[in-house]
Amino acid sequence: MARADRALRWAEASSLRPTGVVTRVGAGAEAQALRSAAASRDNLAAHNLRVVHARADGPALEPLAEQQKRMRQRCLMHALGPAQLEQLDAAVTAAPPGTAVAMLQLIELCVADSAFRLVIVDPAGRAALPPAFVEAAQTIFARELVADASPDEWLSVPLARPHPQRLGRSLDRDLLAAIVDRDDTAARSWLAWRDRASLDHTGGFGEVAPMLFENLLRLGVDDPDMGRIGGIRRRAWYVNALLERQATTAVHALLRGGIEPILLGDLPAAACAAETGSVRPIRAIELCVRPDEALSAAAALARHGWTAGRGGPITPRRVDEHTWQRLVREPGLVLFLHWRPLPQRCTRIVGSGAAHDCARLVLDRAAVATQSPTAHLLRLWAQRGEPHPGHQLRTLCDTADVLERYSHQIDWARLWSDCAQLELLAYGEMYLSALPAVVGEPGLRELRACYPG
C-alpha cells in the first residue's frame, strides 16, 4: 500500500500543478522526437500526447469546417453551454487557418479528463495560441494551462489531471436520478427534468435513452415522449444486433489466426443486458490483443474488410507509442483494435494484471474473453481521460450497471489502489457519490477503509 499512499499524497497536491502544456517547434522531426521521448517515460503514461501540424488541410486531415463541426459536437457532449460554445467557436472562426487547427486540437484535449502535452509544428512561426483564447479555455474547461513552454519545459513540467468538480458542476442530476434510481425519486426527478429541458437539446441523450425508458416503464410513468424514447431504444437494439454480428465475425477471424482477443467497451455489458431483455447501446466494437499480436491482428482483420482510418496503418512505432488503432469497414462500421486495455499508456503504471483480468462471455455460442468487473470499472473511469468524450451520464449509468450486476465480485482494495496510481481516486469518489446510496455506498466505504481521512 506504500506506493498507493505516495500516489494519493501526490494527487492531493495536484491542484498546484497545471493540467496541460503546449510547445511549438519548427519541424515534424523535432515534434516526433519530443513525442517519442514522452512516450518512453512511465511517469507520463497517463498523459495525452498530441502532435498537430499548423495547417488548414492536408491529405490526412479533415477540412477545417469539418474539424470545427466535430469540435462543436464534442463540446456539446461535454455539456458546455451555448454561450461557452459560441465563445470558442467565434475564436476559432476568427483565427488564421493554421492557428485555428491548433486551437481545435487544444479544445479537444481540454475536453478529456487527463493531463495533456500538445506539440504544434509551426514552420512559419505564425501559429501561436492567442492569449485570450487560452484564458477562455482555462475558464470554460476549469484547467490550468502552460501555453508557451519550451521543448525542455514541455517534457519536464509536472502535470495533474483536472479536478473532477468540473464534471460535477455540469452533471444533470435530475436526468441521472430518473435513469438509475429505483423508487419514486426517479419519477419525481423525471418530471423536474421535463419542466426545464428537452430531448432535442440534451447532448448524448441517445446513449442513455434505453436505460431511461426501461426505468420509467418499470415505474409506470406515463409521458407524451415515452413513444419517442422507446423508438430510440428500438433503434439501439437494432444497431446492437448489427454490431454484435460484426464483432463475432472479427473475433472468429482473430481466433483462426491463433489470437485470442478480449472484448472491451460497451459490447459485454450490452450482451449481458440483452439476457434480461434490456438494451445498453453499443457505440463501437472494441477488441484488445497483446502488443506483440497487434500487427498480426490488424492483418487478419484487414482480410475481412477492416482497414486503417485516418491514423494510417499500424506500425511497430505506433504500437510502442499508442494504445489503439481505429479500423473502418463499409458501410460506416468502426472497430477499435487495442493492444493495451487502458487509455494512453496507463497499463505501464498499474501493471497489466488488473487491466487484463479476464472473465468469459458467450457470444454466438462461443466463449470469449472479457474484462472482470474490477478491470471493467477501472477502464470505465480511466476512459474519461481519452480525448474522445463520452457523455458523462453514460459513464455514471454504466458504473451503476456494473455495480448492480457484479457488486460482490469487485475487488475494491485493488481498484482503489489502481485508481490512486492513475490519479482517479477523486473521480471514482465523485461517480459513486452521484449514484443512489444503495449502489455507491459500498464502494465509498471501501475507499474510506483504504484511505482514512
Side-chain angles (χ1 to χ4, degrees):
M1 191 67 72
R3 192 175 75 162
D5 289 340
R6 288 196 298 273
L8 178 60
R9 289 195 295 272
W10 187 64
E12 288 172 342
S14 64
S15 60
L16 305 177
R17 302 202 308 273
T19 63
V21 59
V22 184
T23 191
R24 287 191 297 155
V25 298
E30 296 176 75
Q32 186 56 49
L34 282 175
R35 181 183 178 87
S36 297
S40 68
R41 298 188 181 184
D42 287 352
N43 64 316
L44 307 185
H47 298 178
N48 279 315
L49 304 177
R50 182 70 62 88
V51 173
V52 57
H53 292 259
R55 58 188 183 189
D57 51 37
L61 293 176
E62 297 172 303
L64 182 57
E66 289 300 313
Q67 296 180 54
Q68 196 164 351
K69 178 181 178 181
R70 185 157 51 91
M71 176 274 288
R72 290 192 290 267
Q73 292 171 339
R74 292 185 174 186
C75 287
L76 287 173
M77 293 288 283
H78 188 65
L80 260 63
Q84 296 172 316
L85 182 54
E86 182 179 350
Q87 184 178 7
L88 294 175
D89 205 23
V92 173
T93 300
T99 303
V101 171
M103 294 163 73
L104 289 169
Q105 293 292 325
L106 181 76
I107 292 171
E108 182 174 313
L109 291 167
C110 281
V111 165
D113 301 332
S114 174
F116 68 83
R117 297 175 188 268
L118 173 64
V119 181
I120 301 172
V121 182
D122 182 22
R126 299 174 182 171
L129 296 171
F133 167 75
V134 174
E135 184 177 346
Q138 290 186 120
T139 301
I140 291 171
F141 294 105
R143 280 182 172 271
E144 292 295 326
L145 306 176
V146 178
D148 55 355
S150 70
D152 286 342
E153 290 171 330
W154 184 89
L155 270 175
S156 60
V157 64
L159 301 179
R161 287 186 185 271
H163 197 280
Q165 281 181 351
R166 75 194 195 113
L167 303 180
R169 69 184 186 184
S170 62
L171 173 62
D172 194 321
R173 294 184 180 274
D174 284 333
L175 185 53
L176 175 66
I179 299 167
V180 301
D181 269 283
R182 294 296 180 258
D183 53 28
D184 290 343
T185 302
R188 291 194 300 271
S189 298
W190 170 246
L191 293 176
W193 185 83
R194 289 285 277 118
D195 284 343
R196 60 174 176 77
S198 71
L199 279 61
D200 294 320
H201 298 94
T202 301
F205 184 83
E207 293 189 9
V208 298
M211 294 167 269
L212 173 65
F213 178 84
E214 291 164 9
N215 201 35
L216 295 182
L217 186 66
R218 183 185 62 81
L219 292 170
V221 173
D222 184 19
D223 189 277
D225 276 332
M226 282 294 281
R228 188 175 171 192
I229 301 171
I232 298 173
R233 179 180 180 274
R234 286 191 297 274
R235 185 180 186 281
W237 177 89
Y238 172 79
V239 172
N240 282 7
L242 172 64
L243 292 179
E244 186 171 334
R245 287 197 298 271
Q246 295 292 334
T248 301
T249 301
V251 166
H252 285 302
L254 295 179
L255 291 173
R256 284 193 295 270
I259 300 170
E260 184 176 7
I262 299 174
L263 282 178
L264 300 180
D266 302 327
L267 202 153
C272 291
E275 294 177 357
T276 58
S278 296
V279 176
R280 299 291 178 266
I282 302 172
R283 288 165 286 194
I285 302 167
E286 296 188 69
L287 303 175
C288 186
V289 299
R290 298 197 314 264
D292 62 344
E293 296 174 329
L295 298 179
S296 299
L301 292 170
R303 290 192 288 271
H304 286 77
W306 294 100
T307 59
R310 290 186 296 114
I314 297 176
T315 63
R317 187 168 78 178
R318 182 169 181 83
V319 173
D320 287 340
E321 297 182 358
H322 297 262
T323 64
W324 55 268
Q325 172 67 58
R326 183 177 184 267
L327 305 177
V328 296
R329 180 181 179 182
E330 296 296 338
L333 297 173
V334 176
L335 184 153
F336 290 95
L337 178 64
H338 300 260
W339 45 91
R340 296 182 184 90
L342 293 177
Q344 295 93 35
R345 295 156 314 285
C346 292
T347 307
R348 291 170 57 175
I349 298 176
V350 301
S352 61
H356 284 283
D357 188 16
C358 290
R360 289 281 170 177
L361 171 72
V362 176
L363 189 66
D364 192 26
R365 298 185 298 278
V368 183
T370 186
Q371 290 187 299
S372 71
T374 304
H376 187 180
L377 269 186
L378 178 65
R379 184 173 187 271
L380 186 62
W381 295 350
Q383 262 192 302
R384 294 292 302 174
E386 290 279 21
H388 306 285
H391 191 42
Q392 71 182 85
L393 276 173
R394 178 66 188 265
T395 299
L396 284 160
C397 292
D398 287 348
T399 296
D401 197 50
V402 173
L403 295 178
E404 289 177 338
R405 292 178 185 275
Y406 308 110
S407 60
H408 298 298
Q409 299 180 34
I410 295 172
D411 184 344
W412 285 106
R414 191 182 73 185
L415 177 62
W416 288 126
S417 177
D418 291 338
C419 284
Q421 305 308 312
L422 301 178
E423 294 189 56
L424 287 172
L425 284 178
Y427 281 84
E429 183 177 19
M430 190 207 79
Y431 294 143
L432 296 188
S433 298
L435 297 176
V438 68
V439 178
E441 185 57 32
L444 292 172
R445 285 199 301 268
E446 293 288 346
L447 173 61
R448 292 190 286 267
C450 292
Y451 303 99

